Amino acid sequence: MKKILSAALAILLVSLGLYLGAQQLDSSSGGSASSKKDLIIYNWGDYIDPDLITKFEKQTGYHVIYETFDSNEAMYTKIKQGGTAYDLAVPSDYMITKLRRDNLLDKIDTSRLSNFKYIGKEFLHKSFDEKNEYSVPYFWGTLGIVYNDRYVKKGEIKSWNDLWKKKYQGQILLVDSARDIMGMSLVSMGYSMNDTNSAHLKVAKAKLDKIGKNVKAIVADELKMYMVQNEAWIGVTYSGEAATMMDQDSHIHYVVPAQGSNLWFDNIVIPKTCKNKEAAYKFINFMLEPKNAAQNAEYIGYSTPNTAAQKLLPKSVREDKQFYPPMSTVKNLEVYRDLPSSKVQEYNDLFLEFKMYARNYLTENFRKRKFHAV
């Protein structure tokens, strides 16, 4: 009997040791079992000044675990699976609608955010969160056109329709995004960037085919590098990407066509998986502090919705109409809506057809590179 009891005791001790070891390993590896002092943030890559994370940790004693995603869809899938207990995430406008609809977000009590008052009223009550119950504005920006004045005269490009001119043959880079490029074509014809009329979508695609000869490549993040290296004259991209290019090359300029474009928002949300709400609220409030928001805006290059932070930015930045456009332009900008899955697929299919068509005209030296159009 003693041998049996000894063996049972030994098995119990080994099992306990294995359990404790597994718990320690899971905690140290950033798994779902996080410490009460951990704050797990899910954000786009390189989308916060690392010095601000260090500053927050020193001020509060919390330890930030920072994970990144490269698309709203990837972020949505990870949060829905629930494998990691994310305390905060930073989705874009239309994805906030989807997350809300699928009951994956907690409401945000703005009374716990003393710095929420610094958010400009023009950035609140948007269609994706009309009562501001689920999200806090983080950054905003636009879709527009970058061009190099070594090859394109300043002020020569004002409209989306300018991109169809024959003199730009083989000199335009397009961002690899169905909603943005189909939207560009729709707006150029007076339609909405959220249009779901199949006839309008087909006409927009047919017009895109006519720009095929002007397209040098359809790329993603590489667009910045190619423009700075003078490998193309013109690019269709986002305001923050444009800011990065302009910092590196004073000959590069950015314009948002007054006829209309996309106005996008990235907002901070609290997923249902949140385990540390106190830390989550402290972090949101920390990022809303004007000095911190201004520092973050200078680091990232996108436009801040924090009006007090805007005043702390260099005059050359806060008065730059390329990144803080006048209301005459803003009123024509559209926030993307979360379209039915069938329409999203229709956009994607038509854009893929355009890319296959445009491939016939892609410049030879770009054919040999690895980019999304091939």
Side-chain angles (χ1 to χ4, degrees):
M1 178 65 71
K2 287 182 179 180
K3 288 184 178 180
I4 294 175
L5 289 174
S6 297
L9 181 60
I11 292 171
L12 179 61
L13 290 173
V14 170
S15 299
L16 180 61
L18 289 172
Y19 172 77
L20 293 174
Q23 290 293 96
Q24 183 176 5
L25 178 62
D26 186 48
S27 177
S28 63
S29 64
S32 58
S34 60
S35 162
K36 289 183 179 180
K37 297 301 291 182
D38 287 341
L39 175 67
I40 307 178
I41 301 174
Y42 201 25
N43 198 359
W44 300 85
D46 196 27
Y47 207 32
I48 188 172
D49 185 341
D51 290 342
L52 287 173
I53 292 180
T54 302
K55 181 180 178 181
F56 174 77
E57 290 178 326
K58 288 181 178 179
Q59 283 187 1
T60 64
Y62 288 110
H63 170 59
V64 174
I65 298 172
Y66 190 84
E67 295 189 17
T68 64
F69 56 86
D70 58 8
S71 74
N72 279 290
E73 288 67 29
M75 177 273 306
Y76 169 82
T77 300
K78 195 83 176 287
I79 288 178
K80 187 174 183 179
Q81 289 174 343
T84 302
Y86 293 115
D87 297 304
L88 294 171
V90 187
S92 300
D93 35 53
Y94 73 94
M95 188 52 68
I96 294 172
T97 302
K98 187 174 179 66
L99 288 164
R100 285 177 53 199
R101 187 180 61 218
D102 293 349
N103 196 32
L104 295 174
L105 299 180
D106 274 341
K107 286 189 175 182
I108 294 178
D109 181 3
T110 55
S111 69
R112 296 178 63 177
L113 301 172
S114 60
N115 293 325
F116 188 79
K117 61 188 177 185
Y118 296 120
I119 298 294
K121 292 181 180 180
E122 63 269 34
F123 303 110
L124 300 175
H125 311 298
K126 296 300 178 183
S127 59
F128 54 86
D129 190 8
E130 292 181 351
K131 296 181 180 179
N132 293 111
E133 295 179 308
Y134 294 91
S135 64
V136 175
Y138 183 62
F139 278 120
W140 66 277
T142 55
L143 176 74
I145 303 167
V146 288
Y147 65 90
N148 191 320
D149 67 25
R150 294 183 182 91
Y151 315 105
V152 179
K153 187 178 179 181
K154 284 185 181 181
E156 186 175 291
I157 294 180
K158 298 178 180 179
S159 164
W160 291 117
N161 286 312
D162 291 331
L163 301 183
W164 273 262
K165 293 179 179 178
K166 292 182 179 179
K167 62 182 176 180
Y168 300 138
Q169 184 171 334
Q171 293 299 336
I172 297 177
L173 302 177
L174 299 179
V175 66
D176 188 19
S177 166
R179 286 296 295 270
D180 292 320
I181 302 306
M182 284 289 293
M184 172 190 80
S185 186
L186 285 165
V187 170
S188 74
M189 296 184 294
Y191 298 131
S192 167
M193 297 189 93
N194 291 302
D195 204 319
T196 57
N197 183 303
S198 293
H200 294 171
L201 296 181
K202 289 177 181 177
V203 171
K205 186 267 177 183
K207 183 171 182 179
L208 279 181
D209 286 346
K210 295 178 181 179
I211 205 177
K213 290 183 179 180
N214 289 3
V215 177
K216 190 165 193 175
I218 302 173
V219 293
D221 291 341
E222 312 95 293
L223 195 149
K224 295 194 297 287
M225 177 183 68
Y226 292 149
M227 285 297 299
V228 171
Q229 291 178 349
N230 298 315
E231 295 211 45
W233 299 356
I234 302 167
V236 174
T237 188
Y238 314 110
S239 53
E241 304 292 278
T244 301
M245 296 178 224
M246 292 165 66
D247 282 342
Q248 297 178 46
D249 188 344
S250 61
H251 290 280
I252 293 178
H253 307 273
Y254 181 70
V255 59
V256 181
Q259 67 199 119
S261 188
N262 171 232
L263 174 65
W264 57 262
F265 291 89
D266 286 338
N267 285 25
I268 302 175
V269 300
I270 299 178
K272 288 279 189 182
T273 56
C274 179
K275 300 293 185 183
N276 198 341
K277 278 197 174 181
E278 184 172 345
Y281 275 99
K282 284 187 176 181
F283 186 81
I284 295 173
N285 206 48
F286 171 84
M287 294 304 297
L288 290 174
E289 176 66 36
K291 287 185 179 179
N292 296 334
Q295 178 179 330
N296 204 32
E298 285 203 74
Y299 177 84
I300 300 300
Y302 283 120
S303 304
T304 176
N306 190 311
T307 53
Q310 287 179 21
K311 296 175 182 178
L312 300 177
L313 294 172
K315 185 177 180 180
S316 59
V317 175
R318 67 174 183 268
E319 294 185 357
D320 190 339
K321 293 182 180 180
Q322 297 171 105
F323 301 101
Y324 293 93
M327 288 307 299
S328 59
T329 297
V330 173
K331 69 180 182 181
N332 292 324
L333 302 179
E334 296 181 84
V335 175
Y336 285 141
R337 294 200 306 266
D338 179 34
L339 301 180
S341 57
S342 61
K343 287 299 171 182
V344 171
Q345 190 61 53
E346 190 171 352
Y347 268 80
N348 291 339
D349 289 345
L350 290 170
F351 184 57
L352 179 59
E353 288 179 24
F354 161 66
K355 290 201 290 184
M356 294 174 66
Y357 178 85
R359 183 180 179 182
N360 296 324
Y361 301 105
L362 297 177
T363 305
E364 183 61 30
N365 65 320
F366 272 83
R367 289 179 189 273
K368 298 175 182 178
R369 300 177 189 267
K370 291 182 179 179
F371 59 96
H372 294 214
V374 295

